[in-house]
Amino acid sequence: MNLASPFSISVVAITALAFLGLPIGHSMIAGSILYLLLAGLDMGTAAEQLLNAMYNNYIILAVPLFILAAELMNIGSMTERLLRFCDAVVGRFRGGLAYVNVVQSIIFAGMSGSAIADAAGTGKMMQMMMTKDGKYTPSYAAALTAATAVIGPIIPPSIPMVIYALVSDASIGYLFLGGVIPGLLMAAAQMGIVAYQARRNNFPVEAPTPLRELPGITWRAFPSLMMPVVLLGGIYSGVTTPTEAAAVAAAYALVISVVLYRSVSFADFYQSVLASARTSASIGMLIAGALVFNYVVTVENIPESIKAILTSWDLSPTGFLILVNILLLLLGCVLEGTTILLVIVPVLIPTARALGIDMVHFGVMVVVNIMLGLVTPPYGLLLFIMTRIAEVPLKDIVRDVLPFLWAMIASLALITFFPELVLWLPRLLGYQG
């Protein structure tokens, strides 16, 4: 590649602006405009691409709606009731609170679609429960919460899968279904680590919840537990599109919190809407910048060039998937997941299609891989969040999260080599890919 070409200068400009502190979405827009200027193209094309891509993609609307649903869920008492239910079910075993941490992430995964929302929503409460009376070290509790939050965007709904569907034209419904078994597999791997550590470190045994109390606890949590059923039932019955289901999820969380649990004031509601708007605007600007830059990538024919290079290497589909996993794991250490999904993954999709790789399998594998970047140093966003919540050094959390990270990488390997783990449920419901 010519280092003095408009595209090379554009990439250098984007990197420099990002390092100087400009948000990556703004950096990509500025770099793309610079490319159009140097290439002698109409700079207004950047605005045209941005507007057309943002306003003509109905699917993008699901992102802020899922974010709002997560915020509404967290401000009410839904979180407390669900944690009490999880404690009643698995808290009686050795290391019970560690199991509770994993199980609550499985349940919350069916509601928010965001790892950050899961960690922020339950992180502080789990931290207090696990460290009370010195039962677990603060760093271990924080590391476990960060690791379990990764499950959130894998089990449906999933904001990263919505974004992948945007760049790949894969079915959101089948992507959601494809994430169920991998998400449960990852949770099982984490529970295996907890079981081993519970025996080795003699974790405490919590006082068991009397069986006579279990029906009452379940009944109080039942409306919250029904949220994934309402959400996914609407999608797979054909009653709602995924975007409409996101709106239903937000409305359901609001009704349950305000009307049934009566635990949300108007001020709480206002703050949740405000927080959702800020997060949505941040993600929206990133999507906008990536879509404009993807136009530049398309003009430069980068996907086809990479496809030609990889084809010349004569890679098998399995070899290509291994190469992609290594690349994404390395990028996840230094880049934010949405950036990888919007900028890097679209370049890889043509080669994946040419090799006959199923787009649902590829998408779930990519999302699982990118989510691991949230707990991979040095740019593990979930690690930073838990560092603030737990007020412990980052190095201590990194040390305690490593066993869980290796277990999740092993789960990723299984998903990569055995596509049926991803495709079994979608095919059960009629997927023909």
Side-chain angles (χ1 to χ4, degrees), residues 368-379:
V368 170
N369 192 312
I370 289 173
M371 290 306 101
L372 295 185
L374 294 172
V375 290
T376 306
Y379 188 79

Side-chain angles (χ1 to χ4, degrees), residues 230-272:
V230 171
L231 176 65
L232 301 178
I235 294 174
Y236 300 123
S237 66
V239 174
T240 64
T241 65
T243 302
E244 291 165 346
V248 170
Y252 183 83
L254 180 62
V255 170
I256 294 299
S257 297
V258 174
V259 178
L260 190 60
Y261 293 161
R262 298 181 182 178
S263 57
V264 176
S265 65
F266 180 79
D268 293 332
F269 175 70
Y270 174 76
Q271 288 300 321
S272 69

Side-chain angles (χ1 to χ4, degrees), residues 72-286:
L72 292 172
M73 180 184 67
N74 287 333
I75 63 173
S77 62
M78 295 176 72
T79 299
E80 298 171 17
R81 293 167 187 260
L82 288 171
L83 285 178
R84 183 72 185 93
F85 170 78
C86 294
D87 183 51
V89 174
V90 297
R92 65 187 66 240
F93 304 110
R94 180 166 298 281
L97 284 178
Y99 287 113
V100 169
N101 204 327
V102 180
V103 173
Q104 62 87 17
S105 284
I106 296 173
I107 295 174
F108 275 84
M111 301 181 186
S112 71
S114 165
I116 306 301
D118 286 356
T122 63
K124 185 168 290 188
M125 196 171 300
M126 283 305 312
Q127 190 73 19
M128 291 172 57
M129 290 171 61
M130 292 185 70
T131 57
K132 185 179 179 182
D133 299 326
K135 295 175 181 176
Y136 300 83
T137 64
S139 62
Y140 180 81
L144 181 58
T145 300
T148 59
V150 171
I151 300 171
I154 299 171
I155 295 177
S158 167
I159 292 174
M161 287 183 186
V162 171
I163 295 173
Y164 172 81
L166 175 67
V167 299
S168 69
D169 291 328
S171 164
I172 297 180
Y174 289 132
L175 282 168
F176 281 3
L177 276 176
V180 173
I181 292 178
L184 294 176
L185 179 65
M186 190 168 288
Q190 293 175 351
M191 284 188 173
I193 298 295
V194 168
Y196 170 75
Q197 292 176 333
R199 290 195 303 271
R200 189 187 68 177
N201 300 326
N202 196 29
F203 284 168
V205 179
E206 305 299 317
T209 301
L211 291 178
R212 66 178 181 275
E213 296 181 12
L214 190 58
I217 293 171
T218 304
W219 177 251
R220 286 188 289 275
F222 184 75
S224 302
L225 292 170
M226 285 298 294
M227 186 171 176
V229 178
V230 171
L231 176 65
L232 301 178
I235 294 174
Y236 300 123
S237 66
V239 174
T240 64
T241 65
T243 302
E244 291 165 346
V248 170
Y252 183 83
L254 180 62
V255 170
I256 294 299
S257 297
V258 174
V259 178
L260 190 60
Y261 293 161
R262 298 181 182 178
S263 57
V264 176
S265 65
F266 180 79
D268 293 332
F269 175 70
Y270 174 76
Q271 288 300 321
S272 69
V273 172
L274 199 60
S276 301
R278 287 172 179 154
T279 305
S280 300
S282 175
I283 295 176
M285 185 55 69
L286 184 57

Side-chain angles (χ1 to χ4, degrees), residues 137 139-140 143 197 394-404:
T137 64
S139 62
Y140 180 81
Q197 292 176 333
L394 178 62
K395 62 181 179 62
D396 292 344
I397 297 181
V398 170
R399 179 197 63 220
D400 288 334
V401 86
L402 283 178
F404 297 101

